[in-house]
Amino acid sequence: MPQQQTVPQKDTAAWIIQVWLSFALSVSATSLGIIYLPVDNWVKGYMGMGLVFSVGSTFTLAKTTRDNHEASRLTARIDEARVEKILSEHHPLK
């Protein structure tokens, strides 16, 4: 039984640039919107803290989702290896 090799997914440079540019643009636009709001500074500070916490929790959620996905892939590979070992040791005529 031939083994399948898992090829790690690689993002293109264009995709990485687009992701970082859209992130920078969205945070910049939101920050400028908060700065130019016609409200008191404490309200701007509260909204700025909300922006910072939202960005931080988004990074944490993305990392956790990625880690869980990678862990499930590793677990599936370990289970597959166990099944292949059992099948290779099985002799139907014994």
Side-chain angles (χ1 to χ4, degrees):
M1 178 179 277
Q3 282 192 348
Q4 286 181 314
Q5 286 189 338
T6 306
V7 179
Q9 292 180 333
K10 292 278 188 172
D11 293 327
T12 63
W15 173 254
I16 294 170
I17 291 170
Q18 188 270 333
V19 168
W20 279 105
L21 285 177
S22 65
F23 172 74
L25 179 66
S26 65
V27 171
S28 299
T30 305
S31 297
L32 283 173
I34 291 171
I35 290 170
Y36 288 107
L37 271 177
V39 294
D40 293 334
N41 284 335
W42 70 270
V43 175
K44 291 179 184 180
Y46 179 78
M47 295 185 79
M49 286 178 54
L51 174 64
V52 169
F53 285 128
S54 295
V55 169
S57 63
T58 301
F59 277 115
T60 303
L61 176 63
K63 182 187 178 309
T64 301
T65 303
R66 183 202 62 208
D67 291 347
N68 287 338
H69 175 70
E70 288 178 354
S72 68
R73 285 182 26 201
L74 178 62
T75 303
R77 279 191 270 158
I78 291 171
D79 289 342
E80 184 180 328
R82 286 181 182 155
V83 169
E84 286 183 19
K85 181 181 177 195
I86 291 169
L87 289 174
S88 69
E89 293 173 351
H90 176 70
H91 298 288
L93 300 176
K94 275 190 169 181

